[in-house]
Amino acid sequence: MPKAEAIQVTIRIRPPSAAESAIGDSTVCHQIRDNTLSLETADGKANIECAYGIVLGQEAGQEEVFEAIKGTIVGVAEGINGCIFTYGQTGAGKTHTMLGSSLGNFDGITVRAVRRLFEDLQRNKAEQQKGGDESRFQVHCSFLQIYNEKLQDLLSGADSGTLNIREHKNSRTKKAEVFVSGLSEYRVTGVEDVLTLLSAGTRAREVRATDMNDVSSRSHAVLQLSVEAESMGEDFSVLKRAKLSLVDLAGSEKMSTRSAIGKDHSKELTSINSSLSALGNVMSALGEKSRKHVPYRDSKLTRLLQDSLGGNTRTSVICCVSPCQSAGEETKSTLKFADRARRVMLHVRTNEVVDDKVLLARAQSEIARLRTLLKMYMGGTGMENGLEGSPSKIPRGGAGGVGNAGMAVEDLVQENARLTEQNRVLRMALKRSEGGEGDKAAGSGSGPAEGQEKQTQSTYRVKKRLPGNKKNMNEIYSSGIGSVGRKSPQRGGGAQSESEDEAGGADLATLRRELGRKNMGGKRGKVGKMEKELVKVEEEHMKAKLDKERIRKEREELERQLREMEAGGGSDGGDDDSMFGGGEGDEGEEDSYTEEAFEEESGVDEGGGQDRENKEIVLGVIEMKITSPGKKGRSPSPITVNKGVAGAGAVAGKAMVGPAAAGKAMAGKAMAGKAMAGPVAPGKASMSSTAPLGGKGVRADENSNTSNVQSSTVGAHPPRSGKAGRTGAGGRRGGRGRPQNGDRTKPLPSSMQISTSTLVNNEEGEAQGEMTYTMADLGMRVGVYSFRYDLYYPATVVGYDHRRRMHCVVYDDGGEGGGEGRQWYDLKGKKWKRWEDTVKEGKGKKGRKKKGKRESQSAPEIKQRGVRG
Ligand SMILES: Nc1ncnc2c1ncn2[C@@H]1O[C@H](COP(=O)(O)OP(=O)(O)OP(=O)(O)O)[C@@H](O)[C@H]1O
């Protein structure tokens, strides 16, 4: 449940500057208590006293500032978004606070925050590992500026052009979220990596001298770290994800303070002031409970910070002020802003994807707790034990019997969702059997049951099963595949039994009797609320039962049709009794990575070369397509992103059978359902984004429209421990060309081999064996070095475009973001330059360094203002 909390406001009063001291500017702003300051009015007659979260006086050091805002950082490793920004007039100390000073040990918030973040992540990882669980995390970094209302990538290494803010609907929360399309993201492994990027980006930032500051930042800068931390145990897997945004705003400046300023400066000033005023207006709107409209769209800054200001982010504002009289008016207006900010309430929640098993365990412990609670209540001992016995204090589903019945209803609803999903797979299988239309069916989105998510261009095939290893659908559904790695007596099998169905009803009946007894006993008032709750649960239970009946019937009908099809010869005859009609019927499928090719690589022999005792069963081939950008109105050309073999986990986790795009399917369920296993054991969920390829190759794509064929192989991913910037190069080029058209069945050159996974079902029906991670070159255009399928962004691929020599990001919103399904965003028209070169050459020089120098380049020195190396 989201927790409501206010934006945390800290005021920092800096010491007088040398210039202020030189003119003997008097001090009018003082800290008087830990959270209170006083400000003398311009005429010196009155003292304004105001209280904020924390007030830090002139003598406060960087460590104290960090302590004040630490709460925002510590949540990040736990999956809570955080945002820290500094606000104030030019020269008030914002950059000093955020970045620190190169003179001495004055690390700013950024360095401290990043250090703390990595410490937390490492500590969590070590703790998990100590307990015998697997744990890992990944962090990506981006850095941008908003200058004159234009968004620019500070890490693209050259003039980045203008980026756009886009919106995407989070498939989990169903809420719109903003992102910057085409923004470079680098994988970072520690504070040093972030500092290097920070240094490179800070050089590219716009600065200019103002009256108050010789090196005034003239742009708003946003450094963002995306964190994913995953832990996996025997029977659980939890993925936490959060973003930390560190924002150094440009300072407001009075037009009148400059006697004569250039046109550029005046434009800058207008743009800064208007975006800061838009920020103030947003804060005002958010602070007013009755106000419905929040003008986020009035400026790029407010649009970009939308999530941080009114959404699911823990936010801290540090308002910096000068203590001197000459700045009195600006200080007053900064304090006004602080006042607005502290009224804003946020709704913060942990971004966590939890495996079903964990949910089940949690639910079970909740039931146990509530049962005890009810027992105590019924026995009248609640109060004596310090527990509030009033039913109104017991959460929904929490009144013991009601809770138990409520859980039964939830079980039913979940079961229904699972059955609906299976029906969808059956429909696809049926379509395919009917005439190889499976791809179209999947692409067109036809067929999903009501309420299902849209399908996009993805195709799924289940490979022919080996003779002697025939299983019918029911066997497959009930053999535990539906719950690989998470065998649950209740859900592991196919449909829930009638008696289990009735369990909720039985609970309800018992509870009714119990309540009747209590009523008789004169506890009417207390019991009334429970009764209402009970009626509600009974209704839900009835509805879920009816739904289940309908879905079951639907399934029976589909199975019947499919059996008829198979009896009538199926799609490719022979001994193929595969669910989806085998692969031979897919001749017309574009850019297929055919099963034959797969077989050669995986060593799976259709004729039974495998150990049948082990009941080897290759359950599926995933093909995912991402469409190239195309112009609006043009049909986009498909680019195959990833083809792999989904093992039992994929089917089980419903990842590949998900109704949405492959990416979505994998995203939604795979993370939770463990289908997208990286180079980990089956049944374990993978780190979503940049699980290293571990030497697994990539595959050429035949739809590529470029002739410059370079396949990125091992190097497509950044080395785990390498410097972040190296990722930008997209890896060494190891490709030796791609297969010719029509030559798809030939084994790919080793450098381009697609990885495969082979899962073997053991006697218990659990998947055993190796499951490897597959990543293909994006249509020969992009060496992928980061790739994630998750609930947050259903699909995000960050890569290096070899042809254009630039970084690019694909956001696939599965059609939900209002786009045309999958979309391709790149850094159009940009020249690409390695960031190392940019740092080495210094700002202004363009062009790439010669090849082969990269290895010898040492990490750039960090001498940027405010950043310590
Ligand atoms: N708390 C502080 N202690 C010591 N020096 C400070 C402090 N705050 C700011 N300064 C100094 O004041 C000067 C201006 O600070 P800074 O560049 O951080 O201002 P700013 O608010 O970022 O201004 P702008 O908006 O123009 O970029 C710098 O030389 C900085 O080192």
Side-chain angles (χ1 to χ4, degrees), residues 514-524:
E514 198 60 50
L515 287 177
R517 201 166 57 76
K518 285 282 160 190
N519 263 340
M520 301 279 282
K523 295 189 179 175
R524 186 151 197 95

Side-chain angles (χ1 to χ4, degrees), residues 127 130 154 206 222 399-400 460 532 550 585 621 633 696 857:
E127 275 169 15
K130 222 161 120 191
L154 289 173
E206 296 293 338
V222 182
Y460 310 106
K532 275 191 196 149
R550 179 181 58 76
V621 174
K696 292 298 164 193
Q857 286 173 5

Side-chain angles (χ1 to χ4, degrees), residues 349-560:
R349 61 160 194 277
T350 305
N351 303 305
E352 187 182 58
V353 181
V354 183
D355 183 289
D356 282 1
K357 262 203 164 176
V358 183
L359 288 178
L360 191 69
R362 281 187 190 169
Q364 278 165 347
S365 80
E366 180 66 1
I367 288 171
R369 187 183 73 81
L370 294 170
R371 276 209 176 114
T372 315
L373 200 64
L374 184 70
K375 229 182 196 167
M376 286 166 119
Y377 165 66
M378 294 296 192
T381 56
M383 303 304 269
E384 291 96 88
N385 286 285
L387 288 163
E388 293 176 273
S390 159
S392 63
K393 296 275 164 58
I394 300 173
R396 162 126 217 281
V402 177
N404 211 8
M407 287 306 295
V409 174
E410 274 165 33
D411 276 352
L412 259 180
V413 170
Q414 276 179 20
E415 181 68 16
N416 284 349
R418 201 171 69 78
L419 288 171
T420 306
E421 181 55 38
Q422 290 177 358
N423 283 358
R424 199 193 64 76
V425 181
L426 287 169
R427 262 195 298 280
M428 279 174 65
L430 198 58
K431 277 232 160 74
R432 191 175 277 277
S433 296
E434 278 170 354
E437 290 296 305
D439 289 355
K440 269 193 222 156
S444 68
S446 65
E450 223 180 300
Q452 291 285 323
E453 294 160 290
K454 257 190 269 170
Q455 289 187 8
T456 54
Q457 298 177 18
S458 54
T459 59
Y460 310 106
R461 285 181 291 156
V462 168
K463 196 180 179 308
K464 280 199 266 184
R465 273 166 277 128
L466 300 176
N469 186 31
K470 293 185 179 182
K471 289 190 178 204
N472 64 30
M473 286 164 294
N474 283 327
E475 272 178 282
I476 287 174
Y477 284 137
S478 60
S479 65
I481 288 166
S483 57
V484 167
R486 49 194 167 107
K487 263 174 52 183
S488 143
Q490 268 199 1
R491 299 167 201 205
Q496 203 176 355
S497 73
E498 278 305 326
S499 60
E500 278 168 316
D501 266 12
E502 296 308 325
D507 278 335
L508 292 168
T510 315
L511 190 67
R512 256 213 180 288
R513 276 199 299 280
E514 198 60 50
L515 287 177
R517 201 166 57 76
K518 285 282 160 190
N519 263 340
M520 301 279 282
K523 295 189 179 175
R524 186 151 197 95
K526 286 186 177 178
V527 171
K529 282 182 182 156
M530 272 176 94
E531 277 186 326
K532 275 191 196 149
E533 191 87 326
L534 183 59
V535 170
K536 219 163 141 195
V537 175
E538 277 174 336
E539 281 168 9
E540 284 171 15
H541 185 249
M542 182 52 71
K543 187 176 170 302
K545 270 183 78 177
L546 290 173
D547 278 352
K548 183 166 179 180
E549 202 42 48
R550 179 181 58 76
I551 297 165
R552 265 191 193 160
K553 282 196 177 130
E554 194 180 11
R555 177 179 173 161
E556 274 167 26
E557 176 56 20
L558 286 166
E559 285 176 351
R560 188 191 59 73

Side-chain angles (χ1 to χ4, degrees), residues 30 32 36-41 46-50 332 335:
H30 309 267
I32 51 177
T36 314
L37 59 76
S38 75
L39 176 69
E40 281 170 34
T41 51
N47 240 352
I48 304 170
E49 240 185 70
C50 23
K332 211 163 128 188
L335 295 180

